[in-house]
Structure formats: structure tokens, C-alpha cells
């Protein structure tokens, strides 16, 4: 969806806000909500990069990831690092893991209890690293 390139900062601000809002969830051991918020932080960070670089954003999670790779907006080494994320829930990429965990956290009333602190920390770490990467790319 077309958007003005200078609006990238709104997407980045939202990504950072979503990530910051996990603090209370960590304290409350609400691992499902940590993951949900981190997932959205990742999605908004990806869109910040797409907006800054291309002047569009994607509503679709997988399309946004494909655009990052196709447009070479993320280095191959960083993309490989994201792919090496724990494969407990998926074997595609760290992005896909966050997506799978977010779906499980949000919609599966039985399996959400299997999400643990390690899962939450892993997705948080991924979101934080991606946001830092996007921030550096957008402001260089």
C-alpha cells in the first residue's frame, strides 16, 4: 500500500512502542503477550524499512518478509541469522517463528500454555535486534 517515505518514522515509533510495552508482561510472566507484542513490533519495523526505502507498506506478514529479501533491504548474513532461530515451532525463519508463536499465543486456547520464558526471550531478542537494524538503516 503506497505511503509517503517520510512516514517511516511512524512505523518505527510503533515498533519501538510495542517492544517497550512488553516490560510489564515479562514481569507478570505473560509470555503469550510478550510474543504477541514482539510479533507486531517486528511487523512494524519491517514496514518502516519498506516505507523508507520503497514508499509502501505491507499488511501481509509473509509479503513483507519476501519484499525485504527480494529488494535486498536486509543483508544476507542477517537474514541467515534470523533463519537460525530456534525451530521449536517452525523451520522457515525467525520471522515465521514469531508469526507461529503469535498465532498460538492469540488463538490456541490449549497450546498457548506451552509457551515459556525462553520462547518469549528469543522472540524479544529477535524483535530488538531487528528494530536496531531498521533504525540504523533508516537513519544512515
Amino acid at each position: 500500500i503506497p505511503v509517503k517515505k517520510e512516514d517511516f518514522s511512524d512505523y518505527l515509533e510503533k515498533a519501538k512502542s510495542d517492544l517497550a510495552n512488553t516490560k510489564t508482561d515479562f514481569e507478570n510472566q505473560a509470555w503469550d503477550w510478550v510474543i504477541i507484542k514482539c510479533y507486531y513490533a517486528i511487523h512494524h519495523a519491517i514496514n518502516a524499512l519498506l516505507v523508507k526505502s520503497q514508499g509502501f507498506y505491507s499488511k501481509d506478514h509473509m509479503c513483507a518478509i519476501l519484499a525485504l529479501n527480494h529488494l535486498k533491504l536486509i543483508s544476507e548474513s542477517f537474514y541467515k541469522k534470523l533463519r537460525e532461530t530456534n525451530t521449536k515451532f517452525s523451520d522457515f525463519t525467525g520471522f515465521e517463528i514469531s508469526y507461529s508463536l503469535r498465532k498460538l499465543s492469540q488463538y490456541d486456547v490449549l497450546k498457548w500454555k506451552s509457551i515459556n520464558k525462553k520462547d518469549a526471550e528469543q522472540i524479544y531478542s529477535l524483535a530488538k535486534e531487528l528494530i536496531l537494524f531498521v533504525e540504523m538503516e533508516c537513519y544512515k
Side-chain angles (χ1 to χ4, degrees), residues 7-20:
D7 290 347
F8 80 92
S9 60
D10 295 329
Y11 293 86
L12 188 55
E13 180 182 5
K14 178 64 173 145
K16 291 163 85 173
S17 174
D18 287 346
L19 190 67

Side-chain angles (χ1 to χ4, degrees), residues 79-129:
Y79 191 71
K80 283 181 182 178
K81 181 178 181 180
L82 295 173
R83 291 187 64 152
E84 293 168 4
T85 305
N86 178 340
T87 58
K88 176 178 178 179
F89 292 94
S90 176
D91 62 0
F92 180 57
T93 67
F95 297 123
E96 181 60 21
I97 291 168
S98 67
Y99 178 67
S100 296
L101 280 170
R102 193 269 312 175
K103 284 189 344 188
L104 188 96
S105 298
Q106 225 170 338
Y107 303 119
D108 196 316
V109 297
L110 301 176
K111 292 184 181 177
W112 72 271
K113 293 178 185 179
S114 70
I115 297 170
N116 58 44
K117 182 178 181 180
K118 182 180 176 184
D119 298 326
E121 288 173 337
Q122 185 177 19
I123 299 306
Y124 178 86
S125 178
L126 176 69
K128 184 177 177 182
E129 186 171 357

Side-chain angles (χ1 to χ4, degrees), residues 3-17 44-45 47-53 134-135 138-139:
V3 64
K4 293 182 276 184
K5 287 185 176 185
E6 59 268 19
D7 290 347
F8 80 92
S9 60
D10 295 329
Y11 293 86
L12 188 55
E13 180 182 5
K14 178 64 173 145
K16 291 163 85 173
S17 174
H44 292 304
N47 273 312
L49 194 54
L50 290 173
V51 168
K52 173 73 174 183
S53 166
V134 169
E135 194 167 37
C138 287
Y139 289 109

Side-chain angles (χ1 to χ4, degrees), residues 5-55:
K5 287 185 176 185
E6 59 268 19
D7 290 347
F8 80 92
S9 60
D10 295 329
Y11 293 86
L12 188 55
E13 180 182 5
K14 178 64 173 145
K16 291 163 85 173
S17 174
D18 287 346
L19 190 67
N21 285 324
T22 64
K23 182 180 180 189
T24 303
D25 298 317
F26 267 109
E27 291 167 0
N28 293 330
Q29 298 182 7
W31 312 129
D32 55 335
W33 280 103
V34 171
I35 288 168
I36 291 166
K37 291 174 184 177
C38 286
Y39 165 80
Y40 285 108
I42 289 168
H43 187 71
H44 292 304
I46 290 170
N47 273 312
L49 194 54
L50 290 173
V51 168
K52 173 73 174 183
S53 166
Q54 304 296 311

Side-chain angles (χ1 to χ4, degrees), residues 127-138:
K128 184 177 177 182
E129 186 171 357
L130 180 63
I131 288 169
L132 289 173
F133 171 82
V134 169
E135 194 167 37
M136 287 189 323
E137 288 297 307
C138 287

